[in-house]
């Protein structure tokens, strides 16, 4: 269950494995473990098996649709799926069944991917722990008492726990990279505009990007390659051609300049007080974090306050962009920790501000619109995964992936598995 | 029922009326502003919708280039400055006909600004300033069972949701309800000429809101303004504004404060009534639409559109006066609708007597048209055929009276005039020898009329002419009959 997608498809090619058998095994594992993990909100068993059988026929005919044909993947429940409810982790959309597929979903289907289900998330992607789902929290496969990170915690936990071979999430301030770091998998936020946002329910339109979760960097490259590229339904989508990310990997890192910014090495911000978990029942509708943000947004945009808040934020964004541009004039890639701490315990960060601080290393990348990837880079003394973040120039995903791949191949971290039985 | 507000003792000249109009025009694009759905009017409810115009979670807008082109075309006709870059903004408010809870509109950076529109009232013309022109999306339509107050439920039709709208805001420079109505008529004529809007107020293709205030004559500052909505016909615009001016005049006469508010025109009761006070007005929380990139308007594109602008109604009217020697009022009627003016010009090319052509168009053509579509009628009677009919009158083949019947047949059958005249034997009898015989017979059969004529009753001659016309089935040349009869009668007398 811990084989990366490129190994699965190699096995399909050799007929050692069939997509149907693999899908069945994943569905069985979801049945057995997801009650404790809580990675999924919806599992689409029949659709998954039907897709797997079709994939199997293609492999048997020697005509697969590509390197993702028959790959069992999990989608964050913020991506619209035709005929399958898409809740965004909110009671508000508990019964919303989209009549259309997000562009990402459409492209995954066209690539032959087998969609296993929709994964848990902080309500409307507002959060960094997947505790703020209106349905149930998701647990970290490495320590069930801890959070998987968020807001794409469901997809991260599913991939880390062997409940999906790959997954997709959305990253607005770190929502892919941070849970990837917490769960010990690869997570990537592409350049803003690299992947279509059509069908992604927005958190912040000018920051959101869809990106993959993967067992290894090669899978991340394949998953990204399948969904990237221009979409006429998204006016903010970039028209640039999509490189063959997989082919880039082996080019190595010779000649690349890496930068390690001082700003990313700060004093630990873990609070020393662990607060007792407050039990909370949610009324139908929006949860507390969503309400908090609605009120913040409403206030910030009210007449007379626009310049002080929205205008100011725009200026700050411009400064962040300039600073990154200046840094990338000197170095090719920036290497930094993904998060200031490892996965924390459920209920540990009750104070919204300390929760927001979890994104402090990832959010600048969103503001600047640049690509970033988190790869496993070791474990804490308590055995929890730690993530290494690599940031690059806009559209420089190839170099980003090359560096991440070289690091991954040189280190042993990806062979370690969570003890989840 | 306060149809006429009190205020007979008010001197209306004490105040100056200040009116500004906001006109929303639905653009005649085939697809909607931000998605590919069709815009046809009158389709079954919700048959022209998709996730985008239904405001489903996750959807994104894409700008309709054609709508931008139409906006630029109109802006140029209004002499506006087309901005090099413009952007869309979200305007937030809550109403069930708008599923996203925001309307994509333009706020700080509109498509075009600073133009003017020339308006004619009482023979003089004024240029009314246009402050801005911007693009936005229309909302859906709510259908209530019965009235909005008593309906158990309301239905929403999203066919209209996302239809491109062009909002044009005039400066507060209109000085009377009549002038406001004239502005709206001129506005309509232009957008219809430009083929960007069908101008149909009944179907809501053209909608108008007005801001009205009064100020003491000579004052520089504007008075408190009242916004009036639901002005869905030219007649209503004028009547609502007249009512509102009278209402405010009366209020000011008794030192009543004018409340800044939105009032709704009730066309049945002919009053404006308060809708909501602006003190509780929405804060729309505008911010730049992050799902769309700012629109860069290519100068060359603007110049291409400018080069393709058609001749506009006023210029055409002027040309009709100078080139065809028509009166201003005739030219005005002919040029008000582009297709009618086109028809006139095509007919004149074939039959160069402009006065005869315009007379026929203004009388017979418009009578048969009876407010219908010129294009339909001109398919039955193409300009060439009207010219053919006029030629038959001019060369004496048929009389003007017969020509009217021939025209009716042309409308019914689509045939040309010579075919009808030939088939029905309508050629005018202008042969003196033939007419001589008929006149003699008529005179012989009507001795009493001859006697009357002898006694000085000239009306008797008319009766005889009528008899001759009757005998020839109306085909006799009336002028010739008159002359021949005159000759014969004068011989009898002597």
């Amino acid at each position: 269950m811990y084989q990366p997608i490129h190994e699965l498809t190699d096995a399909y090619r050799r007929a050692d494995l069939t997509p149907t058998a693999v899908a069945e095994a994943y569905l069985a594992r979801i049945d057995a473990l997801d009650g404790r993990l809580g990675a999924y909100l919806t599992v689409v068993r029949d659709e998954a098996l039907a897709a797997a059988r079709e994939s199997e026929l293609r492999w048997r005919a020697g005509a697969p649709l590509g390197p993702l044909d028959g790959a069992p993947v999990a989608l964050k429940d913020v991506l619209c799926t035709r005929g399958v409810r898409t809740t965004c982790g909110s009671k508000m959309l508990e019964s919303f069944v989209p009549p259309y597929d997000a562009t990402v979903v459409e492209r995954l289907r066209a690539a032959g991917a087998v969609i296993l289900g929709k994964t848990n998330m902080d309500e409307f992607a507002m959060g960094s722990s997947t505790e703020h789902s209106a349905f149930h929290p998701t647990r970290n496969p490495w320590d069930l008492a801890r959070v998987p990170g968020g807001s794409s915690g469901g997809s991260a936990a599913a991939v880390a726990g062997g409940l999906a071979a790959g997954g997709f999430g959305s990253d607005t301030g770190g929502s892919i990279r941070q849970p990837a770091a917490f769960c010990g998998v690869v997570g990537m936020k592409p350049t803003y505009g690299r992947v279509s946002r059509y069908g992604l329910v927005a958190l912040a339109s000018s920051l959101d990007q869809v990106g993959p979760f993967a067992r290894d960097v090669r899978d991340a490259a394949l998953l990204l390659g399948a969904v990237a590229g221009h979409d006429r339904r998204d006016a903010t989508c970039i028209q640039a051609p999509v490189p063959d990310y997989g082919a880039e990997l082996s080019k190595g890192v010779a000649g690349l300049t890496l930068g390690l910014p001082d700003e990313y090495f700060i004093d630990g911000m873990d609070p020393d007080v662990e607060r007792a978990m407050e039990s909370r029942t949610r009324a139908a509708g929006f949860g507390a974090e969503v309400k908090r943000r609605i009120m913040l947004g409403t206030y910030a945009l009210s007449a007379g306050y626009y310049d002080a808040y929205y205008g100011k934020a725009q200026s700050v964004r411009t400064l962040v962009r300039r600073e990154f541009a200046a840094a990338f004039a000197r170095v090719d890639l920036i290497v930094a920790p993904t998060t200031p701490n490892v996965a924390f315990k459920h209920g540990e960060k009750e104070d919204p501000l300390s929760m927001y601080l979890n994104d402090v290393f990832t959010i600048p990348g969103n503001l600047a619109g640049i690509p970033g990837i988190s790869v496993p880079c070791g474990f804490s003394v308590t055995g929890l995964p730690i993530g290494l973040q690599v940031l690059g120039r806009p559209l420089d995903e190839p170099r980003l992936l090359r560096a991440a791949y070289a690091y991954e191949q040189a280190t042993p971290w990806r062979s370690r598995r969570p003890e989840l039985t | 029922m306060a149809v006429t507000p009190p205020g007979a003792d008010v001197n209306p000249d004490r105040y100056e009326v200040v009116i500004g109009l906001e006109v929303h025009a639905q653009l005649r694009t085939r697809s909607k502003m931000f998605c590919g759905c069709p815009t046809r009017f009158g389709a079954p409810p919700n048959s022209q919708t998709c996730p985008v115009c239904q405001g489903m979670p996750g959807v994104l807008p894409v700008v309709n280039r054609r709508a931008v082109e139409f906006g630029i075309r109109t802006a140029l006709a209004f002499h506006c400055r087309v901005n090099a870059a413009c952007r869309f903004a979200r305007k937030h408010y809550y109403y069930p006909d708008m599923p996203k809870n925001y309307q994509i509109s333009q706020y700080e950076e509109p498509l075009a600004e600073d133009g003017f529109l020339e308006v004619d009232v009482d023979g003089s013309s004024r240029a009314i300033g246009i402050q801005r022109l911007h693009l936005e999306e229309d909302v859906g339509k709510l259908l209530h069972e019965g009235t909005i107050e008593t309906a158990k439920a309301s239905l929403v039709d999203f066919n209209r949701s996302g239809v491109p709208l062009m909002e044009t805001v005039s400066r507060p420079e209109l000085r009377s309800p009549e002038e406001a109505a004239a502005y709206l008529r001129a506005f309509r004529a232009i957008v219809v000429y430009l083929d960007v809007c069908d101008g149909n107020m009944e179907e809501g293709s053209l909608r108008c809101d007005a801001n009205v205030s009064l100020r003491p004559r000579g004052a520089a500052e504007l008075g408190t303004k009242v916004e009036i909505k639901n002005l869905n016909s030219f007649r209503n615009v004028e009547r609502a504004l007249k009512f509102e001016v009278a209402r405010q005049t009366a209020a000011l006469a008794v030192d009543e404060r004018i409340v800044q508010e939105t009032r709704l025109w009730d066309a049945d009761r002919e009053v404006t009534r308060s809708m909501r006070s602006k003190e509780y007005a929405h804060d729309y929380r505008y911010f730049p639409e992050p799902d769309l990139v700012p629109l860069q308007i290519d100068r060359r594109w603007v110049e291409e559109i400018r080069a393709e602008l058609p001749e506009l109604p006023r210029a055409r009217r002027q040309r009709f006066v100078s080139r065809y020697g028509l009166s201003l009022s005739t030219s005005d009627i002919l040029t008000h609708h582009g297709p009618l003016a086109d028809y006139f010009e095509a007919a004149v090319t074939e039959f160069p007597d402009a006065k005869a052509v315009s007379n026929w168009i203004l009388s017979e053509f418009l009578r048969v048209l009876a407010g219908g579509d010129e294009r339909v009628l001109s398919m039955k009677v193409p300009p060439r055929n009207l010219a053919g009919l006029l030629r038959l009158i001019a060369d004496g083949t048929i009389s003007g009276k017969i020509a009217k019947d021939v025209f009716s047949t042309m409308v019914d059958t689509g045939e040309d005039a010579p075919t009808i005249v030939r088939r029905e034997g309508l050629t005018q009898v202008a042969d003196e020898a033939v007419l001589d015989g008929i006149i003699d017979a008529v005179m012989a059969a009507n001795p009493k009329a001859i006697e009357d004529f002898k006694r000085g009753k000239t009306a008797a001659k008319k009766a005889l002419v009528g008899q001759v016309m009757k005998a020839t089935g109306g085909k006799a040349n009336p002028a010739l009959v008159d002359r021949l009869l005159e000759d014969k009668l004068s011989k009898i007398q002597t």
Side-chain angles (χ1 to χ4, degrees), chain B residues 307-455:
Chain B
E308 284 165 17
L309 279 183
E311 185 183 30
L312 294 175
R314 281 176 60 90
R316 198 168 200 189
R317 185 182 70 183
Q318 214 42 55
R319 187 166 60 79
F320 275 29
V321 171
S322 55
R323 176 157 170 199
Y324 300 116
L326 302 177
S327 73
L328 193 64
S329 62
T330 300
S331 304
D332 197 42
I333 300 170
L334 286 177
T335 54
H336 199 70
H337 295 290
L340 194 65
D342 292 342
Y343 188 92
F344 167 80
E345 297 217 85
V348 165
T349 316
E350 302 267 340
F351 186 76
D353 182 345
K355 287 224 168 69
V357 173
S358 72
N359 283 342
W360 262 81
I361 291 179
L362 293 190
S363 54
E364 287 309 294
F365 191 87
L366 288 185
R367 184 181 60 76
V368 175
L369 188 65
D373 190 340
E374 294 94 350
R375 277 163 279 213
V376 176
L377 183 52
S378 62
M379 267 166 54
K380 281 285 191 187
V381 186
R384 179 172 18 91
N385 287 5
L386 179 66
L389 178 67
L390 296 182
R391 254 195 305 278
L392 293 182
I393 304 172
D395 66 15
T397 307
I398 54 172
S399 67
K401 188 170 174 299
I402 290 285
K404 291 182 183 178
D405 298 334
V406 174
F407 184 75
S408 291
T409 311
M410 289 165 77
V411 172
D412 291 339
T413 66
E415 293 166 302
D416 65 6
T419 306
I420 296 165
V421 167
R422 210 175 307 124
R423 185 183 62 235
E424 299 189 2
L426 297 175
T427 305
Q428 191 163 253
V429 181
D431 184 330
E432 285 193 31
V434 175
L435 285 180
D436 261 344
I438 295 171
I439 291 171
D440 288 344
V442 166
M443 285 173 74
N446 291 282
K448 188 169 177 298
I450 310 276
E451 282 309 305
D452 286 349
F453 184 77
K454 277 184 185 166
R455 269 187 248 117

Side-chain angles (χ1 to χ4, degrees), chain B residues 107-125:
Chain B
Y107 186 51
E108 280 179 334
E109 299 159 76
L111 180 66
E113 290 169 276
D114 294 331
F116 63 89
L117 172 56
E118 284 171 283
V119 172
D120 301 292
V121 181
D122 299 333
S124 67
S125 95

Side-chain angles (χ1 to χ4, degrees), chain A residues 80 93 96 99-100 192 197-202 205-206 232-236 298-299 301-303 306 310, chain B residues 50-52 54 56-63 90 92 108 283-293:
Chain A
C80 286
L93 293 181
F96 172 54
Y100 74 105
Y192 181 78
R197 292 185 297 114
Y198 187 79
L200 166 72
V201 180
S205 294
S206 63
R232 41 187 286 279
R233 289 175 294 191
D234 178 359
T236 64
T298 305
Y299 179 71
L301 285 173
S302 42
Y306 181 88
Y310 190 86
Chain B
C50 73
V52 174
Q54 288 170 343
M56 293 257 174
V59 297
L60 298 173
V62 177
V63 176
R90 292 187 183 178
H92 297 86
E108 280 179 334
D283 176 352
Y284 290 122
R285 296 187 163 82
Y286 282 102
F287 79 98
E289 170 55 84
D291 288 331
L292 292 170
V293 289

Side-chain angles (χ1 to χ4, degrees), chain A residues 282-335:
Chain A
R282 275 178 214 283
F286 293 127
E289 182 61 26
V290 176
K291 283 181 191 156
R292 175 160 36 244
R293 296 197 190 193
I294 288 173
M295 290 315 292
L296 274 171
T298 305
Y299 179 71
L301 285 173
S302 42
Y305 292 88
Y306 181 88
D307 289 336
Y309 296 101
Y310 190 86
K312 191 82 176 175
Q314 293 287 343
S315 319
V316 170
R317 180 214 288 252
T318 306
L319 290 177
V320 170
R321 279 197 178 159
R322 270 191 217 145
E323 213 160 305
F324 270 110
F328 284 124
R330 292 185 291 136
V331 300
D332 294 316
L333 298 165
I334 292 173
V335 180

Side-chain angles (χ1 to χ4, degrees), chain A residues 28 31 33 83 130 134 136 149 154 203 217 234 309 313 315 318 340 363 381 393 419:
Chain A
D31 284 346
L33 295 176
T130 318
H136 53 77
L203 168 54
V217 176
D234 178 359
Y309 296 101
S315 319
T318 306
I363 215 162
V381 283
R393 297 186 187 103
E419 284 168 38

